[in-house]
Amino acid sequence: MNQLPIGVFDSGLGGLTVVHAIYERLPAESTIYFGDTARVPYGPKSPETVRRYSLEILHWLLTQSVKAVVIACNTSTAHALDALRAASPVPVIGVIEPGARAAVRAATGRGIGVIGTAGTVASGAYVRAIHALAPGAQVIQRACPLFVPLVEEGWFDHHATELIGEEYLAPVRQAGVGALVLGCTHYPLLKPLLHRVMGPDVALIDSAAETASALAETLKEKGIEAPAGAVPTHRFAVSDDAARFLAVGSRFLGDRLAEAEVVDLTP
Ligand code: DGL
């Protein structure tokens, strides 16, 4: 059991930021990553559709004998975490609760900004998770749908991205928040730019690192950690266009992303 891989999935390649954080935090753990590149983006889709896609991916990961599943997608976590937990015999970890916990810690009583896809923001999942931990916290949300295609284009530090960032984040800045949750898998790649836009007093919360820590805690709690010094294997699968996944995904994971298989999820 302990040597089995961890299943990680996302709507596309943004979840590779979470894989990267898992490599750093849990270097002995093997992983299987699934990116739903045929059906990305999830951000503008209905909760029902995102839930159905997420359940299909969960079932595929379970056929690969994973010992835990990480939903490395904020939109899928927002709409499907409960459904996946109910359907899964292995632990399922989402990105929202860990991000909320880190934000409450970092904001030190000041307000908390949350940015994400339209779906994540509309779900109110971050607001609920933050209020569960800090009932009186002031939370201001903003959907930033243009950030995902800009990141996929590789425009991490482009002046056009910065202008759009200024526009999206003006109300969050005016609210004087102490922390900003990067509530979308792609946003950690915009960290330097967002740091400039928000200023030095605002802590940027990267759910990826927090999620890897939550995963580490769960594996320990269940006694299913890989033995120290185990040599991990890492597999990548997508639902379409492996070549583009490898080309763009290497921006997230460097040369550790070597090959990807294409999997057909249709039953
Ligand atoms: N992975 C999605 C998220 O974290 C962003 C991309 C999409 O819209 O599918 O919300």
Side-chain angles (χ1 to χ4, degrees):
M1 175 75 170
N2 296 28
Q3 300 264 37
L4 293 176
I6 293 155
V8 183
F9 79 87
D10 178 39
S11 55
L13 38 81
L16 293 174
T17 53
V18 178
V19 171
H20 185 258
I22 294 172
Y23 289 177
E24 301 282 306
R25 182 73 174 70
L26 296 162
E29 298 293 344
S30 294
T31 60
I32 300 182
Y33 180 85
F34 182 85
D36 199 1
T37 48
R39 304 187 288 198
V40 69
Y42 284 7
K45 294 195 170 75
S46 71
E48 295 73 29
T49 299
V50 172
R51 231 172 348 254
R52 178 161 52 84
Y53 291 172
S54 304
L55 281 163
E56 286 172 11
I57 298 167
L58 169 74
H59 289 130
W60 181 77
L61 287 171
L62 292 173
T63 65
Q64 307 303 303
S65 303
V66 295
K67 65 179 176 184
V69 170
V70 176
I71 310 177
C73 173
N74 291 263
T75 310
S76 174
T77 303
H79 297 321
L81 177 64
D82 293 345
L84 265 59
R85 282 193 170 150
S88 175
V90 301
V92 178
I93 292 131
V95 282
I96 290 183
E97 210 276 327
R101 205 174 335 132
V104 168
R105 217 169 36 227
T108 56
R110 286 186 292 161
I112 297 171
V114 175
I115 53 173
T117 65
T120 298
V121 166
S123 77
Y126 268 107
V127 181
R128 281 194 299 280
I130 291 166
H131 283 160
L133 298 161
Q138 185 216 355
V139 185
I140 172 164
Q141 297 197 97
R142 196 86 167 104
C144 303
L146 292 174
F147 279 165
V148 168
L150 287 164
V151 167
E152 300 244 341
E153 198 59 35
W155 287 15
F156 311 140
D157 218 9
H158 195 284
H159 62 273
T161 313
E162 187 146 353
L163 272 178
I164 290 167
E166 299 269 2
E167 181 78 27
Y168 277 149
L169 291 167
V172 186
R173 231 176 23 196
Q174 273 155 23
V177 298
L180 177 69
V181 180
L182 310 184
C184 172
T185 47
H186 286 58
Y187 301 173
L189 288 155
L190 299 176
K191 247 184 183 171
L193 182 147
L194 293 172
H195 196 64
R196 277 203 303 279
V197 172
M198 292 305 294
D201 293 339
V202 179
L204 300 182
I205 308 300
D206 174 347
S207 319
E210 295 300 328
T211 303
S213 296
L215 171 65
E217 268 167 44
T218 301
L219 297 179
K220 194 165 172 197
E221 209 180 278
K222 306 266 177 207
I224 52 171
E225 299 155 288
V231 179
T233 57
H234 300 295
R235 268 176 66 199
F236 300 91
V238 290
S239 48
D240 195 20
D241 202 348
R244 178 172 150 78
F245 174 76
L246 292 177
V248 185
S250 58
R251 292 184 186 141
F252 293 70
L253 220 53
D255 55 15
R256 281 183 284 193
L257 184 57
E259 56 179 317
E261 59 198 282
V262 177
V263 170
D264 183 2
L265 287 184
T266 48

